[in-house]
Amino acid sequence: MKWIESEELMDDDYETRLRDFDARSRARGLRQRGIAGMIRAIAYARRTGTPYLGICLGMQTACIEFAQNACGLKDADSTEFDVETPNPIIFKLRDLVGVEELGGTMRLGAWPCNLAPGSLLREVYRAPKKQANDTGHRYEFNPEYRQRLESAGLVFSGCRLMESSSRWSNCQRMFIPGLSGANFIRNTNQSR
């Protein structure tokens, strides 16, 4: 395992730094630092079929990369990084719009998630239809873009059930082996 700082992936030979790895993972993170490098690494993984696991921000940047490069939405972004983006693939939780404080504002707890039949996520979890997960985030996938990304090949394999609506929080790219992302962390005790 080797750590690569995503900001170091902004030069012309960035692919050379990624070439010798069997897989990539992007763990949780906050804010904008290094996002462009992360998106470059994800694009490289998708193009080369190198397994990629994106957790939280890693899932969000994978959705942004896919929207930009597979769907042609070159200005797709997260409202966390660009409030004025014309294509907000990732946006602030609806109940946090207008809240700017960072302390105590993440969505936390174990929320039930419906896992799609036949999905890699359901197979990996070896789970029934519903699986509880720990969450800790302020931003999520914008469901207005679901159909567009699905028509280009992105598979949404999990839907988190909220009090007022269903929100898609997990995605996987089926025809590139191993490219997957989740906007949650697995809860091992399954309690809320």
Side-chain angles (χ1 to χ4, degrees):
M1 182 176 285
K2 181 181 176 188
W3 177 272
I4 297 178
E5 186 63 50
S6 60
E7 291 175 316
E8 296 173 8
L9 299 176
M10 294 311 298
D11 54 17
D12 290 338
D13 71 337
Y14 77 97
E15 289 187 0
T16 305
R17 291 194 183 109
L18 300 173
R19 199 167 282 138
D20 294 329
F21 291 94
D22 296 325
R24 282 167 198 75
S25 175
R26 170 61 184 105
R28 298 177 291 172
L30 296 170
R31 301 290 183 206
Q32 187 171 0
R33 189 176 78 75
I35 295 298
M38 291 177 211
I39 289 174
R40 281 184 141 192
I42 295 164
Y44 178 81
R46 190 171 57 81
R47 283 194 320 270
T48 62
T50 305
Y52 169 84
L53 173 62
I55 301 169
C56 295
L57 183 61
M59 179 283 252
Q60 295 172 14
T61 50
C63 288
I64 293 167
E65 185 281 327
F66 190 82
Q68 290 176 352
N69 297 315
C71 299
L73 299 172
K74 297 297 179 195
D75 51 7
D77 210 336
S78 168
T79 59
E80 182 175 14
F81 316 133
D82 180 2
V83 176
E84 302 299 321
T85 181
N87 288 298
I89 299 300
I90 305 297
F91 63 7
K92 190 179 262 190
L93 298 172
R94 301 298 79 197
D95 49 338
L96 291 180
V97 172
V99 176
E100 299 306 319
E101 297 88 35
L102 292 180
T105 59
M106 285 187 155
R107 176 181 291 141
L108 299 172
W111 295 90
C113 179
N114 280 338
L115 305 180
S119 68
L120 176 61
L121 190 63
R122 191 164 174 179
E123 180 182 329
V124 168
Y125 267 63
R126 296 185 196 116
K129 184 177 180 183
K130 289 183 181 173
Q131 177 73 31
N133 299 284
D134 281 335
T135 60
H137 58 96
R138 291 179 188 87
Y139 292 83
E140 64 187 350
F141 178 77
N142 182 345
E144 290 181 22
Y145 290 90
R146 180 177 169 205
Q147 186 174 8
R148 178 132 186 209
L149 272 64
E150 280 182 327
S151 66
L154 194 72
V155 174
F156 290 90
S157 56
C159 179
R160 181 173 300 126
L161 302 177
M162 304 304 287
E163 304 83 26
S164 58
S165 65
S166 292
R167 296 182 178 161
W168 289 89
S169 57
N170 314 311
C171 65
Q172 69 185 36
R173 184 91 160 75
M174 293 297 280
F175 68 87
I176 300 295
L179 185 66
S180 62
N183 210 29
F184 63 80
I185 303 162
R186 180 150 189 198
N187 179 2
T188 55
N189 72 9
Q190 299 301 306
S191 64
R192 187 167 181 197

